[in-house]
Amino acid sequence: MIIVMDAPGQLCNQLWSYSPLIAQAKEENQTIYINGFDDYKDNFPSLNRYKFIRFINPKWSKYLEGTLKVFIKTDGLSSKLPGGSSVVFSSWSLPKDTQRFIRNADLIRKIFEIPDALGIKRQSTDIIIGMHVRRGDYKSWNEGKYYYTNDHYMAIAEALRSQFEGSVKFFIASNEPADELLSKVPNSFSLNISAISDLKSLSMCDYIFGPPSTFSMWASFYGQVPCRFILPDDEDWSLSDFEPIVAQNLFLSGNRLDFSADKGFWIARK
């Protein structure tokens, strides 16, 4: 049995936190109890088919967490219980078994399957580039280093468009109104329905770009879509630099998205 006590951040932070533990539970034939995800689990109808994944009733969560911390020793991240069970107090910070996650990637996609009806409608001949415009807290986080202007997004869109001979469409997903971009980026469109709809739609695009974010990262992983993150010193925007995400912060080539408080994000080349 694995008990996960935290609910770190929003939707995709939780997906990246819980999925490696779900993979562990599957391989070890354990049941996993998750004390979180209440705001999001109804978006994933397939979850109900996997009986080894269970959710703790919210009304018991605070009592359970307090009881566990009193009676067991922990390093702050997790603790082993008698009989091989474990309690995880910080799933976001817990070291991840990347190879186990990759082995179970197809299962994870099935568990967290998003209905097609929530995504964009597209023709097979379309070229659609997903533009994730992350705003909100990015205006102040890390001194606004990854809060890019509309002009910045438009310049990247034009650089990518120029590499195709035919028509290119841009799907814009943002956590703030994107009216200016929609009016100035040719052949651009948005759904403005919900975060889960944006996530599904990005996963249906041919390419994804945006600032470093677990949201676009999950869309790339889920749809196996080539992705590239906007970093402050980026200049050349070649399509050959896009590649799918295969695990958190890990690209198909083995390159990694790394972060430190003093340097911010950078790509660690394999």
Side-chain angles (χ1 to χ4, degrees), residues 6-112:
D6 67 331
Q10 300 182 65
L11 171 61
C12 291
N13 278 23
Q14 293 185 32
L15 287 170
W16 283 116
S17 296
Y18 299 150
S19 293
L21 294 166
I22 289 172
Q24 177 185 345
K26 181 62 177 177
E27 288 198 351
E28 296 177 356
N29 197 29
Q30 296 197 65
T31 299
I32 181 169
Y33 292 86
I34 297 174
N35 183 32
F37 215 55
D38 296 308
D39 293 335
Y40 308 113
K41 62 186 179 185
D42 290 343
N43 293 307
F44 304 96
S46 297
L47 266 174
N48 295 326
R49 298 206 303 263
Y50 296 89
K51 302 305 180 185
F52 74 98
I53 305 171
R54 301 183 184 180
F55 295 92
I56 297 170
N57 190 316
K59 69 180 181 181
W60 293 106
S61 62
K62 290 188 179 298
Y63 170 79
L64 178 61
E65 182 175 7
T67 301
L68 289 171
K69 285 187 173 180
V70 168
F71 289 102
I72 64 176
K73 294 181 179 180
T74 176
D75 58 5
L77 299 180
S78 64
S79 182
K80 289 291 186 182
L81 298 178
S85 296
S86 59
V87 179
V88 175
F89 290 104
S90 182
S91 58
W92 176 256
S93 301
L94 194 71
K96 309 294 193 296
D97 187 329
T98 299
Q99 291 308 310
R100 178 159 54 200
F101 178 88
I102 291 173
R103 287 196 302 271
N104 290 276
D106 288 339
L107 172 66
I108 296 299
R109 293 187 187 97
K110 290 178 182 177
I111 290 171
F112 293 108

Side-chain angles (χ1 to χ4, degrees), residues 121-140:
K121 306 298 185 288
R122 59 170 300 167
Q123 304 296 321
S124 59
T125 54
D126 287 342
I127 296 294
I128 303 180
I129 297 176
M131 181 191 302
H132 180 213
V133 182
R134 175 68 186 270
R135 294 278 168 77
D137 60 332
Y138 268 31
K139 190 170 186 176
S140 56

